[in-house]
Amino acid sequence: MKFYGYFRSSAAYRCRIAFNLKGVRPEFIAVNLRTGEQKAEAFLDLNPQGLVPLLDTGTARLTQSMAIIEWLDETHPAPPLLPTDAEARAHVRAFAQIIGCDIHPLQNLRVLKYLKAQYGLDQDGLDAWCRNWIEPGLGACEAMAAAQTHGGAFAFGDGPGLAEILLVPQMFSAERFHLDLTPFPRLNAIRAAAEALPAFAEAHPARQPDWIS
Ligand SMILES: N[C@@H](CCC(=O)N[C@@H](CS)C(=O)NCC(=O)O)C(=O)O
C-alpha cells in the first residue's frame, strides 16, 4: 500500500495514528503542500480534489481521512476503532465530525491562502481566524467527553479509537495557532493518555524524518 501525505497535515496525521494502531505499514510518500505538489498534475491524476491524504491500496485509491480510517477498521478489525453499540458509535462519530467537518475545513491551507490573498490577513489575523473556529469546536468536544461516566482514560472508554485519532492532531494544530488549551482539562487528559502510546507518539509530525520539508 502507498500512503500519500504531508508531515504536518492533520488529516494525514490521523491516518498515521490509525495505521499504527492497526499495525499496518504502508509506504509513505511525501506530497509537499508548501510547494503546491498537491495541485501538480501528477498528484491530481491520483486525487482530483488536490488534497492529502490518499491511500493506494493496490486495488483502489481512497481519499478523505475518515473514509480511509473506516476502510482500515473494516478490513483490519482488531483493535476496533468504534464501539459495537450503535448509539455509542453515533456519539464517537459525532465527536470526530465536530473536528473533521466543523473545525478542520476552516483552518485548511487553501482557506488560509485565500484569506491572505483576498483579504490581506497577516499571520496574526490568520491565527485569530483559526482560533475563532477551533475554540468553540473543542469546547463542544470537551463537554461531550466530560459528560461520559465510563471512568476510562479515553474519550469513550478504556481504549483509543476514532475520537482520539481526530482529537490529537487537532490539538497539535490548535497549538500551532496559539490557542490556549487550559480550558479543556478532559481533552488534555485524553491527549496525554493517547500520546503515551507508541501508536500516537510515532505518528507525531516531528517524528516523520523522511517527510519533513
Ligand atoms: N476532509 C479531508 C480534508 C483533507 C485536507 O484538507 N487536507 C489538507 C491537509 S490537512 C490539504 O491537503 N490541503 C492542501 C491545500 O489546502 O491546498 C480529509 O479528512 O481527508
Side-chain angles (χ1 to χ4, degrees):
M1 284 198 282
K2 291 182 181 172
F3 180 67
Y4 297 75
Y6 184 59
F7 76 105
R8 218 162 38 201
S9 150
S10 290
Y13 185 1
R14 294 170 195 162
C15 294
R16 287 197 302 270
I17 298 168
F19 290 134
N20 290 346
L21 285 169
K22 298 290 188 180
V24 170
R25 301 269 172 261
E27 178 190 350
F28 287 150
I29 299 171
V31 178
N32 191 329
L33 300 187
R34 281 200 321 179
T35 59
E37 275 180 14
Q38 73 277 24
K39 303 295 179 211
E41 211 177 309
F43 187 71
L44 290 176
D45 282 347
L46 301 176
N47 179 8
Q49 203 186 3
L51 298 174
V52 296
L54 164 80
L55 180 68
D56 187 338
T57 67
T59 57
R61 285 196 289 264
L62 306 181
T63 59
Q64 289 291 335
S65 61
M66 281 200 269
I68 292 170
I69 292 163
E70 290 214 29
W71 172 85
L72 195 60
D73 202 28
E74 287 162 13
T75 53
H76 300 75
L81 301 179
L82 287 164
T84 47
D85 173 69
E87 193 176 300
R89 266 203 311 274
H91 288 309
V92 174
R93 287 191 172 117
F95 182 101
Q97 287 176 25
I98 289 172
I99 296 169
C101 306
D102 298 338
I103 300 177
H104 177 261
L106 290 160
Q107 57 159 78
N108 196 357
L109 182 62
R110 59 188 171 154
V111 171
L112 302 186
K113 274 187 173 167
Y114 184 81
L115 288 169
K116 190 172 174 182
Q118 296 294 318
Y119 302 107
L121 283 195
D122 61 10
Q123 193 56 50
D124 286 346
L126 295 174
D127 288 356
W129 162 273
C130 292
R131 289 195 299 272
N132 185 61
W133 306 112
I134 299 170
E135 189 171 21
L138 288 185
C141 289
E142 172 75 19
M144 273 185 90
Q148 299 297 312
T149 54
H150 53 71
F154 296 95
F156 294 95
D158 290 328
L162 188 67
E164 289 74 22
I165 288 172
L166 275 282
L167 178 66
V168 169
Q170 182 58 61
M171 292 185 86
F172 168 77
S173 50
E175 283 171 336
R176 285 183 54 216
F177 301 120
H178 310 292
L179 179 67
D180 174 14
L181 293 176
T182 51
F184 312 112
R186 182 66 190 133
L187 298 185
N188 288 323
I190 294 165
R191 180 192 193 185
E195 287 185 334
L197 302 174
F200 284 80
E202 287 163 16
H204 192 280
R207 299 274 298 268
Q208 314 308 312
D210 300 337
W211 274 25
I212 294 177
S213 51

